[in-house]
Structures are given as structure tokens and as C-alpha cells.
Amino acid sequence: MTGDATKTAVEQPLDDPAFEELPDAPPRQRLKLSWAGKISVCIVALWVFIALAGSFIAPYHEAEFIEEDEQGNYYVDPSFLPPSAQTWLGTDYLGRDVFSRILWGARTTLGIAFAATMLAYMTGITLGITAAVAGGWTDMLLSRLDDALLAIPTIMLALIIIAAFGSSIPLLIALAGLVYAAGIFRIARALGQDIMVQDFVEAARARGEGLWWIITREILPNAAMPIATDFGLRLIFIILFISTLSFLGLGVQPPVADWGSMVRENLQGLGNGFSGGAIASLAPAAAIGSLTIAINLIVDDVSAHAGGSLAKKMI
Amino acid sequence: MTALLEVRDLWVSARKDDGSDQPIVKGVSFEVKPSEVVALIGESGSGKTTIALSALAFTKPGLEFTGGEVTLQGTDVLTMPRQEQRKLRGRRVAYLAQSAAATFNPALKIGEQVTESSVLHGILSQEEADRRAESLYRALELPDPERLGRRYPHQVSGGQLQRLMAAMALCGKPNLLVLDEPTTALDVTTQIEVLKAIKEVIREEGSAAIYVTHDLAVVAQIADHIVVLYNGAIQEQGPADQIINRPTHPYTRRLMAAVRPPPAAGEDAETDEPGQQRPPALEAKSISAGYRIASSGKPLALVLRDVNVAVKRGQVVGMIGESGCGKSTLARVFAGLLPAMGGEIALDGQALAPSLKDRSRDELRKVQIIFQMADTALNPRQRVGDIVGRPAQFYLGLKGEAKRKRVAELLQMVELPAAFAYRYPQELSGGQKQRVNLARALAADPDVLLCDEVTSALDTIVGANVIELLKSLRRDLNVSFVFISHDLSTVASFADEIVVLYAGRVVEQGPVNQVLSPPYHPYTRLLITSVPELRVGWLEDSMTTREAAAGIARAVEISAIGCPFSRRCPLSIEGTCDSELPPIRTPSPGHQIACHRSLGEI
Amino acid sequence: MWQLAFRRIAIGFLLVWVVSVLIFAITQILPGDAAEIRLGQDATPESLAALRREMGLDRPAYVQYLVWLERLLSGNLGVSVAGGATITSLIEHRIGNTLFMAGMVSAIAIPISVTIGLLAAMFPGGLIDRIVTAATLGLVAVPDFLVAILLILILSVQLNWLPAVSYLSGTESFWQTLRAMALPIATLVTVVAAQMIRMTRAGVLNVMNSPYIEMAILKGVPRRRIILRHALPNAIGPIVNIIALNLAYLVSGVVVVETIFAYPGLAKLMVDGVQSRDMAVVQACGMIFCTTYIVLILVADIAAILSNPRLRHPK
């Protein structure tokens, strides 16, 4: 359809249609996912659904102890029970249902990570674009501050801040938001600077357009695709970051279910092997892995579609 | 005589994502005889480079040979085993790429890269190869041939690298050279030097060559046989003399028609200038400008010094000069994108603020700029209708139906169908994008259009069509133009006045006819003689009549004192030209030449 | 070139200083009155004032910082809250363990990653490349502790080949030490190598796509020479930077691995310090980690400068 339109269009202004300028790049192609990407979308969708509805469909409450089996017999020791029809993934070190806690924990883990990513983005993009557009002293100051933040390994900054202020969910969100805003700032600034020198932005400036128009109409629509890809990667980093802190006992505090803390709490069950306990620690770790790998596969497909140059910027 | 290389019914296809093949080269056949230069000429997308590379049994990634054969001295190179193909490359067939700056490995010394293939293929020992390289440097008139090999690529200039690549290709004494637009990326004055050097060396070495280019005038200088390509298929082929002088195929004729005649003084243009009494539409008064270091605020380099230019109402002022002379900077100063550091800009006789922030919306409306790269000048996320409609809304307050009608009108003005309003820029061809660019500028209903190299990124025919469009717009709209180009022929065909810039200073300006006829500024003369004519044998003729070659190939050196051209000027007076600013001489009213030599001498 | 290198070194020193100010500010100034925290709710104003004077908290912040800096530099770090041992002796005891582990991991991971990355880049789209790409794409998104858990479950619990805990008393033979460290090292190598392979491959491919490599092919240069002589010298800078970048992953990995395997290293000391809110330990360990990190990044930076022919041979 478009092909025909091009042909007739070309013919009109030119006297000899047979030798006209050859057609340029074809219209943009739609994003096509690989089979791995399609499965990944399903996995991520499933986890998002569980994060929203998990607490309603879970057979038990996250803090509920399993005391009796389905026949009503009391367990001598309900901890680290092997998987059964009653507890699909067995019980944890205190005798709570691992399956239910994973469903509950999805909300905590995904919720914190998503909130932190949003926070990091709002801070990073706002400051990054500001630095790129404003230039001069504003840019200098923000960039040097950013360099200093980036010179501290993320985990170290987290440990030091948690040592000083203790750990709570709002602090975790703020912390991850701050730590990862530094990286986003850098990318947003670079993207902004790249786009700022494009001729179409020059044209808008020469026309006398205001800053708001230039940012919202000229820069952001063009930065959207790289930023979307980057969003996926940041989300992975932040999920891993929060889980690692929880795993170290410095993140989400008990009795709230969180995948990272669940791995830590049940580490001692690992020695019992699969017949008891190992699953209590392995299952939440696998849950994290399935989520992050799935996001990564989607990001990979998207950036392959957008061309290699994106992937380079992300590193 | 048997052919050295025979290409028979060659097909090359691009493999698309969905697995289907799209033919890029469609059944091409031609042959190259020993010590013959065959030119493949065509515009972008004609498949000329792909065909040339088939002589090396090589395709760019994503392409593959799907049919035909390429026979070199009796053997088909396409079906050779990989190892044999490798031995063929660099030994029997050598390649010269378009951009030497990108083609030289930045981490290796020049000498190693020049001699590498002949030593690897066992043609020469390292010492022999070094000696041969040195003699080639001499033959190619490269400076300091003894030590050149020990330097790194970033330590020599672009024109020298291009010649070094010729040395690299010739070092192993190949039977066949493949030259892929070896002079296209160079400035006019350098282009001729490189072309001459390459031509002489090819003749001395007696090797055959395939010369790929889009430039007919260049082809006329170097080719024995010409193959004209369009869209992957041969349109016409024959001896150079016949193709140039008696083209038969309509495509070749169009290609020839699109080539501008060499700049020459023609009959006087109409002299009725009713605008004479009124102030010029746009004027630069002793403008100095440069780029600043971000923090310290001091100029890093002055790109323009004391430039005076007046654009009369309804007139076209052509700006000419080599890359780096400051012509694009002047356009940015006019548009207010780069505030001048000294001097004044006047619009309609009224002083204009240096920075666009301080200009009123109406002042901004009157001066519109059109950028060189149509690709990057259009926001890929906006539809053509939005792009063209925005200035109409922004400056003139058009909305809704009125705006839509205006967009359709503007598209019609630039000879595009109204339906294009719903397209995104990437769905257009290069020439169409440049038309949209033009429509956007016209939407502001401007008084002055600043055209910054608007045709240089386009193919010859497409570029010629855009110029025709500009000419008709000028007749219809009474708009003034500042037309910036490095191509003297294009400027000469379109402009009323010419301003010649060198290293940020105006060296000569005046009406076209007077600038293009003696007396000349020595730099203008160099520019004029550097434009190749579409005539076999022009290169040889020009070399004898040209200025002493010695100073020409030197890189542009900008000196703050004296005449900027003094280091390259054959007429330079030692002690005067390099220390004092030249006086302005006025051979006739409105014609100015900045030179120490008297009018009689130049 | 040397000027540039010296500038980098100066910036490195500046960064270390900024980091020390940040750490001091976060741990000492921001959380509030340390004396109040230590004495708790029922402190009398007199005892508070006395402790403040003793701790030097009545002096202005910059004096406190200078005192702190002086003690940090002279190695007089005071006594740990938990054990009563001097912090200097605690650190001395453990820093060697952590360095040994990080060194072992680097010694194994760097050569393996660079080789595999190069192999994958040599034949893009080939069998090796596809396997490597798929495997690393999954591995980079996996949390460190999932790798550790899987290794423990398989190699320690199921097969009983290696110990699951890497406790060192200091009397083990070299062979025993190595056996004890096998699992933590394997975990870290897996995690760090995956990232490094991906980035090396991308870096080399980037060079392989440049026009001068195409020119080398067209000159008939054999593939091996193209990789080693034409591509590698240009890829050294990027590869060194990639290695340095991955040290950040190593820092985070070390923290997790030391915790999971109860390895007596500096990171474990720091995590324990965070849990018991032993500020002096956190400050000292934080400074050591951050300084090491900055120094390593600096070394990489300078190596990249030295390998750049444009800077090595100015016009």
C-alpha cells in the first residue's frame, strides 16, 4: 500500500519517472519478539498479576504457621516440610507455607523495585535533561556530583546508609532510587546532548521555540525508545539490588514476605537437600531469577529491534 | 586482446529479515582489459560499489552473490575456495576505499599498513616492500617519504591519507585496482591533486582499474570505458569519449544534463535594481564569530573575522569556500544560533540582536535556515504535516483547517503531493526530505532563506532538481537567498553575487560575472581552475595552466596576521602578505578583492 | 598524554577525598547525636554532655572530620563494639582473605572471559557465539545467591564433593584452603565472567565492524592476524575499561558470597558491622572498599589512555 503511494508520489513532480531517485528506507517495521521474548512476556505478565492479586489467591497468609495437616493432625515439627498437596512447595524454617509466601512476596519485591525505579527515573531524567539543556555551571555541578556518587560501588553506599539510618521499606525505595538515579542521570544527559545538537532541534531553536516545546516535542519522543530499554535494565538491577540487601538481612524486615529475605531465612535448609528445606530457599531465588531473566530477554529483543547503537549506550 | 576481468550476468541480493531476497545487482556484464580504466558510474543505490567489490569476491555483510560469474584471468573468483580468495585480495586485485581516514587502522604505523599485504602474500620481502613504499610516496608527491612510514595515520592530513591508500593498494603490484570514490570526500582543490597523482601512478604501473564514482566530470578525466548504472542494472556502456560526447541512453543524457557547466562569466544579468535605494534585506557588518570554551568564555578559535556581506532584496548571494572556511558559521550567525562576538547584523536596515533569544518572533520569522542534512533536520517522530505546519502556527497563528490548507499549499509549492503530510520523514527519499525542509522554511513566509549546502548530500540529478525548484521559488516569491556551497558551478548557476571566503575572511566578493572573470583573487582563481570540466583531457590541460602546484596541496593553515591565503598563494610577497592585512581593491563598483598585488598583477 | 594521565590521578585523589567526606557525613553527622544513640532513652543531660565531650561531638563538624581522618590514616580506629578487639587487628586479619579471593576470581575470570568473548566475536552468529550469547544473556540477570545456592545444592549437598561453608581457621594446608574456597570462587567467576564476556564480545565486535577491518579483509590478511594485529590493539582500551567496570559487580558479589559461605573476609566484617551498627567498622571497611575501587578504575583509565595511539603519538 505504502509502496504504491511512493510510486505515484514520485512520478508527479518529475518529468521522467523511470529514472527517479531510488526509494529510501522502508517504513518502520513493527517490533517482532523472538519465541524466548514471547515466553518472557508471559512470565513477566504472570508475576505482575501475582504481585497484584497474589495475596488473594494464596492459600495461607504470609505470616501464618502451618500447624496441622489436611487430616487435622498436628505436626511435631512443621518446619522444612517437603512439598505436598497441602503445601505445594513445602514449609519454611518457621513452618510457613513457602508457596503462599512467594505469592505474597511478589508484591513486596516487585512493588519496592517498581517504586524505586520510578523514583530513580524521575530524578535521573529530570536532572539529566536539565543538565544537558542548561549546560554551563548547572551541568558542571550536577555532573561532578554524579561522578562522585558513581565512584562508590552501589552496594557500599547502601551498606553505609543502612548502617546510619537502619532499614525500612521507604528507606529502601529512596536508597535504590538515589543510587540508580546516578546512572540514569548520565544516560539522560548523554541522550539529551546527542539530541540537542541534531539539526531538527537546531531548527526548532532557530524558529524561537521555548524550552518546554523543545524538551517535550523534540527531545523526549526521540529519547523514548532508548529510555524504555534502559528502564528494563534498571528494573533488573534494582530487583537484584533490593533482593541482595534483603538477602543480607538489611532489606525488608520479617515477618513481611520478600523473595530476598526468604532465601536468607531458609539458607540453613539447604543442607537437608530436596527432601526437606532446600526448596524453601531455592524457590524464591528461582522466582527472582525467572523474573529478571525474562525482563532481560525482552530488553534484548527490543534493543535488537532498535539497532545495536542502543545496546552500546546502555553499558 | 583478452579481458583481464570479465563480469558475466552478475546477480547480488540482500537478504531481508523475513528470509526473502531482494536483488541489488541485476544481471550486470562488462569486462576490463589489461591497463584499462573502467568507470562504474551511478547514483546512490545503483549498486556500483557492490559490483566493484565482486572483483574481490567480497560482499558487504547482509548481501550475497546469487548468480553469474566474475572471471579474473580465466578463473571464476566467486566459486574459489576461501583460502584462494584471500590470496587473490591485495595481490592480484587491490582496493582503495572512499574514506581513507576510516580505512587506516589508527593503532598501526602507516608503513606497516602500506606494505602488509605484499609481504604477507610473499610478493616482496619487508625491506623490498619498504623501499617500494618509499618510491611510491615519492611518485605520489607525499612529503617526507623517508620517514612517512614510521608515522601514525592521525598524524597526516586527509588528502595525504587518500594518496597513502593508493600507495597501499599499489605496493603489491596488483593486476587490477578497485577505486571506490577515492576523491569524493575531499575538497575541490585537494581532489584534483589526488586525482592527478592516482592517474599518473596507474599509468606508470600499467595496472587496470575499476573506478567507482557518481561524478561524471571526474570520470571524464580518468576512464577509458564507462559503464552507466541505475538501480542495479547497466543502462549504457561504451568508450569514455562516446559516452561523454554522444550519450544515447536517456538516463545518461539526464545525468549529463544535471552536471552544471563550469563556472564562467556569462552575459550580464538584468541590472534593474529597484531595491538599490532601500536597505539590504540582510546585512553583516564586520562580523567576527567563533566557538567558545564552555566555562572560561574565551573564544577557542575565531572562525569568522571582520566579514561584511550585504544581501539585497530578492537577490541570491552565493557563499563559496572549502570546508572549514566559516561559511556555515556565517549562516548560524545570521540565524542567531551562534551569537557573533563582534560586528552587527541588520535586517531591513534595522539592527538585529546577536542571539536569537533577544530577537522578536517576527524578526525570527523573516530569516529562515535550511540545513545541509535533510535526514537529521527533520524530527523522525513528527509527521510531515506537523513539521511543515508548525512554523505556520507558530509565526502566523494558523490553526485547524487553515493550517491544513496552508500545508497542502506549501507541499504543492515544493512539488510534493499533499498526501505526504501524513508520512514520517523516514518514509521519504533524500530529495523529498530536502523539499520538506524547504517547505518548512517557506511556511514562515520569510524574507531571507539561508541555504546551507542544501544539495551537497543529494545525488546529482536530485540536487539539480532542487536547484531548479529554488530558482522558480525565487521568481515567484521575491525571497532573498544566502546560498552556501562548496561547489562553485552550482553557486555560479544560481547566484547574483558571490562571496569567496577563505579561513574566515572574505577574499573576494561581487557580482557573479565579475568574480568569475579577471582580475581574480589568487584563491578564486585556484577554485575556478579546480572544478573539473566534463571533457576528456581536461586534467592534463589544467595541470599545465594551473598555478604552481607546490602550494596547493597544503592543508588550510589559518594565520591570524596577514593575508589568510599567504601560505598557499603562488603570488605571495614575502614580508608583506604574511604580516599585513591586504588592502581592498575595487576593479569595478560592487566588486572587491582583498590582495596586496595590484589589479594588473592578478 | 602524561599530562592527561596525571590529571586523572589528581581526579582520583580528589574522588577518594570526596568519598571520605561523604562516608563521614552519612555515618557521623546525618544520623543525629551519636552520644544520645549510645546512651539511649534514659540518659541524664550530664552524662550526655560528658560523653559528647569524650567523643568530641561538641566540636564543629569539620574538626570532627579532621580528627576522624587523622585516626583513619594512622590506623588507630578504636575498638569494635561487638568483639572488643581493635578494629585494626580485625581488618588486618580479614583483608588478606578478601584480597586472596578477589585475586583468585580475577585471575580465573579475566583470561577466560576475554578468550571466550574474543572467540564469540571472531565468528559472530556461529555456534560458539550463539551458545555464549544465550548463556550469558541469562546469567547476567541471575542473582549471585541463586548461582551460589545451585552450586551448593549440586556440588555440596547432592554430590558431596566440596564443603558448603568456607570457614578458615588459619591452620589449613594450601590444598584445604583451596577446597574450602572452591565454591565461593566458582560462584563469583560465573557471575563476573558472564558480564565480562558479553561486554568483551560487544567491544570487539564494535571494532570488527569498522572500515579498517574490512580493508584488512580486502587486503587478504588472514583472519587470525586480523583479530590479533588489527582488532586487538584497538580493543584493548575498551576491554580494560570493561574489566574495571566489572569490578563493581565483584564488590557486590564478594559481599553476598562471603555472607552465604561464612567466609571470614572484610565484606562479612562490614555486613556484621552494619547489622550491629558498629559505625567505626563500617567506616573503615567502606573506605577500604571505595578506595580500592577508585584506584582500580583509575588504573584502567590510565591503561586506556596509554593504549590510545592518538594520545601516545601526538601530532
Side-chain angles (χ1 to χ4, degrees), chain B residues 349-361:
Chain B
Q350 302 282 309
L352 204 53
S355 167
L356 58 86
K357 281 184 209 132
D358 307 321
R359 295 184 185 176
S360 76
R361 195 170 278 201

Side-chain angles (χ1 to χ4, degrees), chain A residues 147-153 155-157 159-166 236-237 240 243-244 247-250 260 263-264 267 270-274 278 281-282 285-286 288-289 292-293 296-297 300 312 315, chain C residues 15 18-19 22-23 26-27 30-31 137-138 140-146 149-150 152-153 157-158 198-199 202 206 245 248-249 251-252 255-256 259-260 270-271 274-275 277 279 282 285-286 289-290 293-294:
Chain A
D147 287 346
L149 262 183
L150 285 172
I152 306 179
I155 193 83
M156 283 297 135
L157 194 58
L159 289 181
I160 292 163
I161 290 179
I162 290 174
F165 299 101
I236 297 174
F237 289 146
L240 293 178
S243 304
T244 300
F247 171 79
L248 294 173
L250 305 171
V263 179
R264 172 196 179 79
L267 220 44
L270 223 49
N272 305 351
F274 288 104
S281 167
L282 183 61
I288 299 170
T292 47
I293 291 178
N296 202 21
L297 290 174
D300 192 58
K312 257 180 274 162
I315 295 176
Chain C
L15 271 181
V18 170
V19 167
L22 271 178
I23 289 182
I26 292 171
T27 52
L30 290 179
L137 186 63
V140 287
V142 160
D144 316 339
F145 48 78
L146 178 56
I149 287 173
L150 286 175
I152 292 176
L153 271 176
V157 178
Q158 295 293 318
R198 271 183 84 73
M199 290 161 101
N206 194 19
L245 263 174
Y249 293 90
V251 172
S252 147
V255 173
V256 169
T259 307
I260 210 168
M270 184 166 174
V271 172
V274 175
Q275 271 158 353
R277 307 194 75 170
M279 290 304 174
V282 175
C285 295
F289 274 112
C290 292
Y293 180 66
I294 292 173

